[in-house]
């Protein structure tokens, strides 16, 4: 059975016994952190026996509660917000973030990508859904250091329009964290077909697309929390932009100064 646990409960609810229904309702009430409980605890909360809870799991297509946990962890790995390892502590969260930062910033091709972004005629940064804020930040940072850095997709635009002017000598940074759009792979292939050099930045679930791109930047977003963390991704953006600024030297610093002067003339920032 490939259905989610809540879908299985909905499909089976009419044939469940009154006790099993009570147990099922308890599962639904605790879907966000279900994997943090033991089967006996769930039975106590529902006011049913452990045997009833076990019968419910089997009725839903799970051999036992361990299989339910595996099912919930698979949903979390796919990007669905939920707790699977108990109530997180600040210390555990910090340690996990440090591990993610280390993994992201130890990429062996980081210098090559910096050189690419500094030397490209044009840079297009692409990102959908949760990837869009990371793409937006990368575009904003790079635009301080160099000209002709574009963001896609823009509101009201389709992505094909952004590929039309790309040629060899251009760079495309595709940000693809989990829960990517269904046509993500097709877009990567199309972007590579323009002749531009494509960089793929994503979490480990995007590794299956890595062979399509010229460069692969792996950046974890898994977290001890219910939601993914993009701290390592934003830090990686800062490292890339800093590298481009340093590589371009005086022209980049002059551009930063010109932008700051324009801010002042227009009173755009405090």
């Amino acid at each position: 059975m490939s259905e989610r646990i809540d879908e299985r409960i909905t499909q089976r609810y009419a044939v469940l016994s009154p006790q099993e229904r009570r147990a099922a309702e308890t599962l639904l009430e605790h879907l966000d952190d279900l994997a943090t409980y033991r089967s006996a605890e769930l039975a106590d909360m529902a006011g049913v026996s452990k045997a009833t809870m076990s019968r419910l799991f089997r009725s839903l297509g799970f051999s036992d509660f361990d299989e339910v946990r595996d099912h919930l962890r698979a949903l979390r790995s796919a990007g669905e917000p939920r707790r699977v390892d108990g109530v997180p502590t600040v210390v555990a969260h910090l340690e996990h973030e440090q591990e993610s930062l280390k993994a992201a910033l130890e990429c062996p091709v980081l210098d090559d990508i910096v050189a690419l972004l500094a030397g490209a005629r044009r840079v297009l940064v692409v990102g959908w859904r949760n990837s869009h804020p990371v793409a937006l930040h990368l575009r904003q940072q790079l635009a301080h250091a160099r000209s002709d850095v574009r963001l896609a997709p823009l509101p009201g635009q389709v992505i094909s329009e952004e590929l039309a002017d790309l040629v060899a000598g251009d760079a495309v940074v595709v940000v693809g964290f989990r829960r990517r759009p269904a046509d993500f792979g097709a877009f990567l292939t199309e972007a590579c077909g323009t002749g531009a050099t494509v960089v793929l930045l994503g979490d480990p679930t995007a590794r299956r697309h890595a062979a399509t791109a010229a460069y692969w930047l792996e950046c974890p977003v898994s977290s001890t929390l219910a939601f993914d963390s993009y701290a390592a991704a934003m830090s990686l953006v800062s490292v890339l932009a800093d590298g481009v600024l340093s590589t371009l030297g005086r022209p980049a610093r002059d551009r930063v100064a010109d932008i700051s002067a324009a801010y002042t003339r227009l009173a755009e920032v405090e």
Side-chain angles (χ1 to χ4, degrees):
M1 296 175 69
S2 59
E3 297 89 352
R4 296 156 42 94
I5 186 171
D6 51 333
E7 294 172 340
R8 301 186 195 193
I9 290 173
T10 299
Q11 292 169 3
R12 298 284 301 164
Y13 194 82
V15 299
L16 298 177
S17 69
Q19 291 290 89
E20 289 171 341
R21 288 184 181 183
R22 287 175 59 184
E25 287 162 2
T26 298
L27 297 186
L28 290 174
E29 289 171 4
H30 293 276
L31 273 182
D32 289 343
D33 58 356
L34 188 59
T36 67
Y37 294 98
R38 296 192 300 273
S39 179
E41 291 174 322
L42 292 169
D44 287 343
M45 288 189 289
V48 301
S49 68
K50 290 187 287 186
T52 297
M53 189 62 75
S54 295
R55 282 198 304 274
L56 173 62
F57 294 146
R58 290 194 295 272
S59 177
L60 297 176
F62 301 105
S63 59
D64 52 29
F65 191 50
D66 285 340
E67 194 168 312
V68 175
R69 283 199 184 93
D70 290 341
H71 170 72
L72 295 170
R73 287 194 175 96
L75 294 177
R76 180 68 186 89
S77 295
E80 187 170 303
R82 62 178 63 251
R83 288 180 180 171
V84 295
D85 292 314
V87 179
T89 65
V90 172
V91 172
H93 177 62
L94 177 59
E95 290 176 350
H96 192 86
E97 292 288 79
Q98 290 172 329
E99 291 171 2
S100 295
L101 277 167
K102 188 173 186 292
L105 299 181
E106 288 184 343
C107 175
V109 295
L110 209 54
D111 290 342
D112 294 334
I113 295 171
V114 166
L116 170 69
L117 298 180
R121 178 188 73 112
R122 171 180 298 159
V123 176
L124 175 66
V125 188
V126 182
W128 294 265
R129 305 188 72 257
N130 288 350
S131 300
H132 186 75
V134 179
L136 175 63
H137 190 53
L138 177 58
R139 186 268 163 193
Q140 189 271 340
Q141 298 289 282
L142 289 178
H144 277 79
R146 54 155 295 152
S147 62
D148 209 353
V149 184
R150 303 182 182 184
L151 177 70
L154 297 174
Q157 299 291 101
V158 292
I159 199 68
S160 299
E161 297 165 356
E162 307 298 335
L163 298 177
D165 296 328
L166 294 176
V167 296
D170 294 337
V172 183
V173 182
V174 184
V175 186
F177 293 109
R178 53 192 174 192
R179 310 196 97 172
R180 295 171 291 276
D183 59 352
F184 185 83
F187 169 77
L188 269 179
T189 300
E190 192 72 19
C192 291
T194 65
T197 303
V198 177
V199 178
L200 173 59
L201 164 59
D203 69 286
T205 67
R207 192 180 293 119
R208 64 192 180 93
H209 297 290
T212 305
Y215 294 103
W216 162 236
L217 276 175
E218 185 170 314
C219 182
V221 293
S222 63
S223 170
T224 60
L225 309 178
F227 290 87
D228 289 342
S229 171
Y230 292 85
M234 288 301 196
S235 183
L236 183 56
V237 163
S238 296
V239 170
L240 289 171
D242 179 80
V244 171
L245 185 70
S246 296
T247 299
L248 294 177
R250 180 63 180 272
R253 293 193 297 272
D254 289 345
R255 180 178 173 84
V256 170
D258 289 342
I259 291 171
S260 295
Y263 286 161
T264 301
R265 290 193 300 272
L266 295 174
E268 287 188 305
V269 297
E270 292 181 349

